[in-house]
Amino acid sequence: MPSSIMIPEDIPFRGYQLKALGSFITTDPEISQSNLFISGYSGTGKTHVLKKFFELNSEHLVYAFLNPVELVSWKPLFQAVARVIQSTLNARDDSASTSMDPLRVEEPYHLVNFVEHTFKTHSTAKGSITFYLVLDGFDSLQDVDFQLLLKFLKINELITQGDLKIIYTVQDPSFLQKYASFSIPKIVFPRYNQTEINKVLQTAKVDDLSNSTVFHEKLNSFDNGTISTEICKNFVYNFINLIVQTFHSYTGNNIFALSDLIDLKWPSYLTYTNENNFFDPIALYKSSLPLFLRTDDGLQDDSLKSVQLSGSKNTDQTYELSTIAKYLLISAYFCSYLEPKYDLSIFSKKSYIKAGRSAYGRRKRAKTNPRHLQPSLFAIERLLAIFQSIFPSDELLSTNEVGSLSSLLDEEVLIRANVEVFQNLAELNSLKLIMTTNIKNIDFLSYKMKWKVNVPWEIIVEIADSINFDISQYFSFVDE
Amino acid sequence: MDSAAIVDDAIVIEDNEDFVVEENSIKLLPIKRSADDGLNHAHVSVKKSKSTYNDVESGFRLFRKHLMRHLNHSLQAEQTRIFKYLTDTKEEISRVLKQSIIQKESHSIIMVGPRNSYKSFLIDHELRLLSKNYKNQFITVKLNGFIHSENAAINGIAAQLQTQLEELQGTEQTLAEPVLKEQDAINTDISSGSLTEVFEKILRLLDSAATKTNNVNKSNNDTKITVLFVFDEIDTFAGPVRQTLLYNLFDMVEHARVPVCIFGNTTKLNILEYLEKRVKSRFSQRIVYMPQLKDLDEFANTVAELLSPLPASLENDNEQYLSQWNNLISELVKDEKSNLFNQIRLNYDTFKSLATFKNSIIPLIGSGQNFEDLKLSMLSCKLIEGYHLNQLQNGLTSTIRSLSDLELAVLIAAARVSLKSKDEMINFNLTYVEYKEMIKSINAKVPTSSNLTTNRHLIKLWEKDDVKNVWETLQGFTFITEKGAIGIRESAIAAFYASNYQFHGSTIPFDLRLYQMQVTLKELRTVVPRSSMYYTWTQL
């Protein structure tokens, strides 16, 4: 008499999935499938539903969960499968004492032998063993390859003692499409829509937030216990609703992102709360409006950013580079994004003794902003030339007085490529701010070596600002 | 048992709306609401009703179980129904098996057919039938090309031979010392020596076992034990290098004193071209191509066979249900207007796969609460439709429909950039510029009656840092993939090489990385609803 499967019923929006699970997973090994795919993107409740399902039926089903994402490669995965099967079965009945070493499993077929032996030692008590193994997130195994799943799909055919049923949860649907011809039954967990996500978040978070200490401290500051828990929940409910409505387009239907935003903004939302607007959601929303204008999910202080935008001088810089390195980086940016044929017209400042035309420069504006594209390669000499051109002469320590005879003697007001310049260049390369063509076995001294800058526009602007260098005037040829 | 009460209960077939994606408008929160009034919509309505699974009538439950076992082909061998279109093939397999097991001939045969074409099923079925009468006459060694590498296969053969011989001899209670010793010796140093040496050991083991049983049985010398090899995915053993295992096994068919029978299952039609010359010459050239269903009628009849278990094999308790059920199925399959027949035709036109049909029918049968209920759902076939609907809910279309407005806008912007560029490459910078222009020009069209209200009707232009999150989301849904990405590798060794290689794309800044679109703007135009404000942007 097979005992029947119970289906948990308190999981919203997953009625079909639970019903299908109940049809595919039974206590009777002869009427349940040996492989089952659970497909769904992140945050669609796959693991939650499976856990609930198995917990409810834990009396009748032998099962274990395994997270391939922690196991990185195929060999640890096979060993972990062996280990978890052995330990689960040992925990269920302690009569069988003989154990094999799971670390001896070094090939797929060792696992077959291992499982068969383990099932054999445990099956003596009451019939053969049916074991449900949930590989939760099979495609998030880092070293996953096409043939790995095939090995698991066929393991059950080689096991003669007992049954090993495997349930795979997979996030990427294109992964499962590669195995479509095997016709493995599949249950899809679709993404929640906005209404559903709202309800799911409410059920998951209302208790958490309304029982938080921050909230109770806040309540106690203006109330002496007259507010009921229902009203508290209502308050939290409104907050979650606000967050979902404001940031839904930013996060999409991603339940984890929304939940993070709720946790992030809950304490600051409470600081806007007082006894006047507690019962007036609209007033509260209006007073806490800054919270809902920005996502604030960067790790840098956003207040600082707004100061910077308003024009005042920002003292802390993105990178603590030397002045030479900063100029080198700027000139590398020029080299990568300005065309070499216009260099002469942009950077040439000297007057000519001999007759000759200077370059005309660009005639038309560029159609696309080159800064949006990938950097182009340049030779090291061009970098040094532009560096010399833009490096300010007053940075060089000249002890000579202006106009004196000695100042006429050392005409070297332009910087030379001295030791520091090359040191700084090498350091920029090791910081991955300037890159070379290939990554392995670089020969810096080769004449074939080409370079490129590896810094986006936003950062180079900050660096230029820190040394009062107006970089944007060099890019006036594109419309902004 | 009151059937109406059960239908009214929580788990019934009718409430399958929840796997239809709700497209209706999002309920806006009434923010203006004094906190005192009741929390009528704060709670998700939870169905508290008890599951009815324990109340299922036992006779019906037995019938349902029998039906499910029939679907899964897990019934006893005599009760298992072989599809009509497979009978010829079944006869051929049965003949070969009987020749090698009863008459002790050596054979080799390769079965070719697509996945789920019942290759292993037929062999297993015949073996189960034969094991009733000739249990001691043969040993089966099963190997799978996915799981066994060439070296693992040798060990696998040795291990399976040993356990099965022990079983055989254990039943006859003739565990003689020398045999055991020899087996132990073979087993301990089975991995030593070349492959042929190991094979020699295996062969010697077989010989000794055969002679041993001969002595016990005291019968004529013909009663040797047949060794039956069943290879799944035999093409993986027929790789480009060496093919030693196949060579030796096929050689055994030709020369060994022990009767050996080799079954190879493969999906490759040109399996003979995989084999080396020396291997091919030892193979018996006998290839069985699995039959395919010819037309819709045959397909429908086969589905009927799939759905109706053989009669008169059940206890009396279920007899009534079984005959009723079989009658119902045969009626439905004959009626070209029935829902079931529609589903069959749909499957025939698309998959033409019995396994797919089986998968879709299992939830229908599994959730049947009583016979009437099951009959009704069979008539309507709603659950089969539901299954197919559910299968599609992860596709590109439904994923696009599950995007938020900002995500959709960025996706459309990316598709526009891809269409404009020569090599269909996009990056984050270009996409953001396109997105900005899109929003700006949408906002410019909004009539501005007064300066005060402008802000309220405009669409928010999200900052670049915020859109980065959306960009990564789109990447997660594989709407955009990195340029030249290979994705999942074929084998473990290729994945290993790839993990040691630092890719160019990962070293350059986030917003300059090159991507390719997986949906074009034209396709987006067909998916995005006309009512969407971004619909006009789905063409250049």
Side-chain angles (χ1 to χ4, degrees):
Chain A
M1 182 67 194
S3 38
S4 52
I5 288 286
M6 307 272 280
I7 294 181
E9 291 168 31
D10 54 346
I11 304 174
F13 314 118
R14 288 293 176 252
Y16 173 79
Q17 280 76 10
L18 283 165
K19 245 191 288 176
L21 268 184
S23 318
F24 285 121
I25 302 174
T26 56
T27 46
D28 189 347
E30 284 172 333
I31 61 174
S32 58
Q33 307 294 311
S34 50
N35 293 296
L36 177 65
F37 289 151
I38 309 282
S39 167
Y41 287 109
S42 162
T44 46
K46 305 181 291 295
T47 308
H48 179 69
V49 166
L50 275 177
K51 284 234 160 92
K52 285 268 174 189
F53 182 86
F54 277 111
E55 272 165 23
L56 196 65
N57 297 298
S58 55
E59 283 177 36
H60 313 303
L61 297 178
V62 191
Y63 69 97
F65 277 73
L66 207 60
N67 281 328
V69 68
E70 300 164 348
L71 297 163
V72 182
S73 189
W74 62 269
K75 201 180 278 182
L77 177 61
F78 281 112
Q79 289 169 351
V81 169
R83 190 166 48 239
V84 80
I85 288 174
Q86 194 179 54
S87 60
T88 313
L89 288 177
N90 279 347
R92 280 182 79 89
D93 65 320
D94 17 72
S95 58
S97 56
T98 51
S99 64
M100 291 166 85
D101 183 8
L103 288 178
R104 300 280 298 268
V105 175
E106 290 187 327
E107 279 196 63
Y109 113 93
H110 291 157
L111 181 66
V112 177
N113 290 356
F114 185 95
V115 171
E116 196 157 311
H117 180 260
T118 318
F119 281 177
K120 205 175 184 177
T121 52
H122 285 273
S123 64
T124 46
K126 36 182 179 179
S128 66
I129 301 270
T130 308
F131 194 97
Y132 283 94
L133 177 69
V134 183
L135 295 178
D136 194 2
F138 189 84
D139 61 337
S140 41
L141 184 83
Q142 202 191 342
D143 276 358
V144 71
D145 59 89
F146 173 73
Q147 291 179 345
L148 187 62
L149 182 57
L150 299 177
K151 291 172 182 150
F152 280 101
L153 288 180
K154 296 290 177 185
I155 269 184
N156 197 39
E157 291 182 8
L158 292 181
I159 294 172
T160 49
Q161 314 269 344
D163 281 281
L164 176 66
K165 314 271 185 192
I166 311 182
I167 299 161
Y168 313 84
T169 71
V170 169
Q171 287 192 0
D172 184 4
S174 63
F175 179 78
L176 286 188
Q177 280 165 17
K178 298 181 202 301
Y179 306 95
S181 62
F182 286 89
S183 295
I184 308 289
K186 178 174 77 173
I187 303 174
V188 172
F189 281 62
R191 305 188 74 209
Y192 296 110
N193 61 30
Q194 195 181 348
T195 9
E196 289 170 352
I197 221 160
N198 209 349
K199 280 187 179 167
V200 170
L201 275 173
Q202 279 158 18
T203 42
K205 300 222 77 134
V206 158
D207 287 339
D208 244 14
L209 293 186
S210 59
N211 292 330
S212 62
T213 48
V214 206
F215 185 49
H216 282 286
E217 278 168 21
K218 191 76 204 173
L219 275 182
N220 293 334
S221 68
F222 57 84
D223 179 73
N224 39 18
T226 54
I227 297 171
S228 69
T229 49
E230 277 299 295
I231 296 172
C232 288
K233 280 187 178 174
N234 212 3
F235 179 78
V236 175
Y237 167 76
N238 265 341
F239 170 68
I240 293 175
N241 237 345
L242 273 178
I243 289 278
V244 172
Q245 278 183 35
T246 320
F247 295 112
H248 179 260
S249 47
Y250 166 67
T251 58
N253 295 319
N254 186 342
I255 208 156
F256 300 120
L258 280 168
S259 160
D260 282 350
L261 278 172
I262 288 170
D263 290 342
L264 178 76
K265 288 177 182 288
W266 174 243
S268 24
Y269 183 70
L270 287 178
T271 58
Y272 290 103
T273 314
N274 55 38
E275 56 186 311
N276 297 326
N277 56 20
F278 186 82
F279 294 103
D280 186 0
I282 290 210
L284 180 57
Y285 173 68
K286 278 181 179 164
S287 61
S288 62
L289 200 59
L291 275 184
F292 299 103
L293 290 179
R294 276 200 314 273
T295 52
D296 296 324
D297 62 354
L299 287 178
Q300 76 191 97
D301 200 351
D302 269 13
S303 59
L304 212 140
K305 211 172 169 184
S306 54
V307 171
Q308 194 187 329
L309 287 175
S310 62
S312 69
K313 189 78 191 85
N314 182 9
T315 46
D316 72 327
Q317 294 144 17
T318 312
Y319 289 107
E320 292 185 340
L321 296 170
S322 70
T323 318
I324 289 181
K326 282 178 181 169
Y327 276 103
L328 271 175
L329 206 54
I330 291 171
S331 25
Y333 199 83
F334 285 150
C335 288
S336 275
Y337 287 105
L338 295 178
E339 287 171 55
K341 60 178 173 182
Y342 302 126
D343 279 354
L344 197 57
S345 70
I346 300 171
F347 296 107
S348 162
K349 287 171 226 161
K350 285 208 167 170
S351 54
Y352 293 89
I353 299 172
K354 284 204 277 184
R357 268 184 315 121
S358 65
Y360 287 121
R362 184 182 281 273
R363 297 178 189 212
K364 276 194 288 186
R365 285 173 176 275
K367 265 183 194 163
T368 50
N369 192 340
R371 295 192 322 248
H372 292 153
L373 306 174
Q374 288 206 353
S376 46
L377 296 164
F378 57 83
I380 191 93
E381 289 82 8
R382 186 169 166 235
L383 173 73
L384 293 174
I386 293 183
F387 170 67
Q388 194 181 47
S389 162
I390 63 168
F391 195 78
S393 48
D394 55 330
E395 286 278 337
L396 295 171
L397 287 175
S398 172
T399 50
N400 299 314
E401 273 184 53
V402 182
S404 67
L405 274 175
S406 50
S407 73
L408 280 176
L409 269 178
D410 53 9
E411 272 289 272
E412 291 196 9
V413 281
L414 291 179
I415 191 170
R416 291 290 168 89
N418 51 24
V419 179
E420 285 98 356
V421 170
F422 285 112
Q423 269 186 352
N424 273 305
L425 193 59
E427 196 182 335
L428 284 177
N429 179 255
S430 62
L431 290 173
K432 299 238 159 72
L433 297 173
I434 293 182
M435 301 286 286
T436 49
T437 37
N438 53 349
I439 301 164
K440 271 186 187 169
N441 304 325
I442 316 168
D443 179 12
F444 289 109
L445 300 179
S446 164
Y447 69 98
K448 284 179 184 166
M449 179 58 61
K450 300 273 190 187
W451 304 71
K452 64 179 178 184
V453 74
N454 193 36
V455 165
W457 171 249
E458 287 81 5
I459 287 175
I460 206 79
V461 164
E462 265 185 58
I463 287 173
D465 277 350
S466 71
I467 48 176
N468 284 323
F469 183 85
D470 186 9
I471 193 171
S472 52
Q473 68 171 4
Y474 291 87
F475 287 94
S476 56
F477 61 91
V478 284
D479 295 308
E480 268 299 281
Chain B
M1 173 112 326
D2 190 2
S3 65
I6 290 164
V7 174
D8 283 342
D9 219 304
I11 303 175
V12 286
I13 320 302
E14 276 82 288
D15 73 348
N16 52 5
E17 305 92 46
D18 45 8
F19 51 79
V20 183
V21 180
E22 280 180 19
E23 287 286 3
N24 52 6
S25 61
I26 290 141
K27 206 192 335 173
L28 281 171
L29 167 79
I31 295 174
K32 188 170 175 63
R33 182 166 59 95
S34 72
D36 315 39
D37 55 18
L39 240 184
N40 45 1
H41 53 297
H43 292 292
V44 178
S45 63
V46 174
K47 288 167 187 167
K48 289 287 181 197
S49 57
K50 264 186 69 182
S51 170
T52 55
Y53 275 74
N54 291 326
D55 310 334
V56 178
E57 189 196 342
S58 66
F60 172 70
R61 194 192 280 166
L62 276 177
F63 162 72
R64 196 175 66 182
K65 185 184 165 193
H66 184 79
L67 188 56
M68 289 279 261
R69 283 182 67 180
H70 173 73
L71 269 177
N72 287 333
H73 306 293
S74 57
L75 283 170
Q76 299 291 317
E78 301 86 43
Q79 294 178 12
T80 307
R81 187 165 189 167
I82 302 294
F83 301 128
K84 207 175 267 170
Y85 81 102
L86 288 175
T87 38
D88 289 349
T89 320
K90 174 192 165 264
E91 287 305 319
E92 181 156 1
I93 293 169
S94 156
R95 197 168 59 241
V96 172
L97 279 174
K98 278 175 185 157
Q99 276 172 357
S100 52
I101 289 172
I102 302 171
Q103 295 165 25
K104 304 294 174 193
E105 297 168 10
S106 287
H107 286 286
S108 56
I109 182 167
I110 289 183
M111 295 167 68
V112 181
R115 300 245 171 257
N116 289 308
S117 57
Y118 300 101
K119 303 182 289 290
S120 300
F121 163 69
L122 283 183
I123 295 175
D124 283 347
H125 177 72
E126 287 305 317
L127 285 180
R128 276 197 295 173
L129 283 180
L130 282 170
S131 66
K132 288 250 150 59
N133 296 327
Y134 307 98
K135 201 173 185 335
N136 298 331
Q137 297 289 313
F138 67 98
I139 304 174
T140 320
V141 176
K142 273 192 182 178
L143 297 169
N144 191 312
F146 291 148
I147 292 167
H148 291 94
S149 64
E150 188 135 322
N151 288 333
I154 309 281
N155 291 329
I157 291 171
Q160 290 188 36
L161 276 179
Q162 196 203 359
T163 50
Q164 299 218 17
L165 278 177
E166 270 172 13
E167 257 175 45
L168 272 185
Q169 289 163 350
T171 50
E172 295 169 9
Q173 287 146 4
T174 55
L175 273 175
E177 282 302 306
V179 179
L180 256 186
K181 260 185 198 163
E182 199 178 355
Q183 279 172 9
D184 281 352
I186 284 163
N187 239 31
T188 44
D189 54 349
I190 195 82
S191 51
S192 68
S194 68
L195 288 177
T196 36
E197 275 174 28
V198 177
F199 263 107
E200 267 174 43
K201 288 176 194 167
I202 291 173
L203 279 176
R204 255 193 294 138
L205 177 74
L206 288 173
D207 273 0
S208 69
T211 47
K212 199 71 200 164
T213 46
N214 282 350
N215 294 342
V216 172
N217 288 348
K218 303 239 186 289
S219 55
N220 51 357
N221 277 334
D222 286 356
T223 51
K224 291 175 178 173
I225 292 179
T226 308
V227 183
L228 190 72
F229 290 93
V230 180
F231 282 91
D232 275 344
E233 321 300 331
I234 199 171
D235 51 294
T236 56
F237 293 106
V241 279
R242 299 253 297 260
Q243 307 184 352
T244 323
L245 181 74
L246 285 188
Y247 173 75
N248 284 302
L249 285 179
F250 284 139
D251 203 44
M252 274 165 64
V253 176
E254 297 288 308
H255 304 286
R257 286 191 294 151
V258 188
V260 174
C261 182
I262 299 177
F263 271 89
N265 294 344
T266 180
T267 55
K268 309 281 191 291
L269 285 174
N270 56 347
I271 180 66
L272 279 185
E273 291 169 25
Y274 281 62
L275 299 178
E276 276 176 23
K277 222 177 200 175
R278 56 178 186 143
V279 181
K280 206 199 269 179
S281 71
R282 278 164 178 77
F283 171 57
S284 70
Q285 312 298 323
R286 190 194 297 210
I287 293 185
V288 174
Y289 292 97
M290 294 305 290
Q292 297 300 309
L293 289 158
K294 284 182 203 68
D295 49 19
L296 181 57
D297 283 341
E298 199 177 28
F299 188 75
N301 289 334
T302 314
V303 170
E305 287 176 50
L306 177 74
L307 288 179
S308 39
L310 285 177
S313 56
L314 278 172
E315 304 90 85
N316 293 331
D317 214 8
N318 317 314
E319 199 72 53
Q320 36 155 352
Y321 289 135
L322 191 65
S323 54
Q324 272 188 56
W325 174 258
N326 285 354
N327 287 341
L328 175 75
I329 294 294
S330 58
E331 266 173 40
L332 284 178
V333 166
K334 270 173 203 150
D335 179 14
E336 298 215 349
K337 289 191 186 88
S338 70
N339 287 321
L340 180 65
F341 193 83
N342 273 336
Q343 290 298 327
I344 291 172
R345 178 158 36 208
L346 202 65
N347 191 305
Y348 180 79
D349 288 342
T350 52
F351 299 110
K352 202 181 165 188
S353 152
L354 287 171
T356 315
F357 197 85
K358 190 188 90 182
N359 287 342
S360 63
I361 206 94
I362 283 176
L364 191 152
I365 294 168
S367 57
Q369 291 304 307
N370 55 12
F371 192 69
E372 291 304 313
D373 184 16
L374 185 59
K375 237 164 91 175
L376 280 178
S377 53
M378 201 67 219
L379 281 171
S380 71
C381 286
K382 275 269 163 54
L383 275 175
I384 299 184
E385 283 166 32
Y387 179 83
H388 288 302
L389 209 62
N390 180 258
Q391 298 296 299
L392 292 177
Q393 283 184 357
N394 243 353
L396 274 181
T397 312
S398 31
T399 314
I400 289 174
R401 292 207 171 118
S402 77
L403 294 179
S404 72
D405 53 342
L406 175 62
E407 285 164 344
L408 185 64
V410 174
L411 184 66
I412 289 173
R416 290 172 66 87
V417 172
S418 162
L419 195 60
K420 282 177 194 169
S421 70
K422 277 176 197 157
D423 50 358
E424 300 190 331
M425 290 297 161
I426 55 171
N427 66 21
F428 177 68
N429 272 328
L430 295 171
T431 309
Y432 186 74
V433 169
E434 182 78 27
Y435 162 74
K436 214 157 76 178
E437 275 173 24
M438 236 168 83
I439 301 296
K440 272 182 184 163
S441 86
I442 288 178
N443 282 343
K445 282 177 197 158
V446 173
T448 51
S449 51
S450 70
N451 282 331
L452 285 174
T453 54
T454 45
N455 254 337
R456 304 187 60 178
H457 299 287
L458 294 188
I459 297 162
K460 176 169 179 174
L461 176 66
W462 289 80
E463 280 172 33
K464 198 168 179 181
D465 279 351
D466 291 336
V467 179
K468 278 183 181 172
N469 182 37
V470 173
W471 186 254
E472 287 192 327
T473 310
L474 294 181
Q475 216 180 320
F477 292 135
T478 59
F479 288 130
I480 53 175
T481 49
E482 229 163 300
K483 176 200 173 191
I486 298 180
I488 182 172
R489 297 300 198 281
E490 175 68 23
S491 63
I493 196 100
F496 172 72
Y497 284 141
S499 67
N500 283 334
Y501 183 73
Q502 197 178 13
F503 288 101
H504 182 68
S506 57
T507 56
I508 59 177
F510 178 85
D511 40 11
L512 293 176
R513 285 177 202 161
L514 287 180
Y515 289 93
Q516 284 171 308
M517 290 295 291
Q518 297 299 309
V519 275
T520 61
L521 194 63
K522 207 174 173 185
E523 289 159 350
L524 274 178
R525 193 175 174 78
T526 59
V527 177
V528 175
R530 274 172 179 276
S531 56
S532 166
M533 69 178 154
Y534 299 116
Y535 181 75
T536 47
W537 293 88
T538 51
Q539 64 180 6
L540 287 181

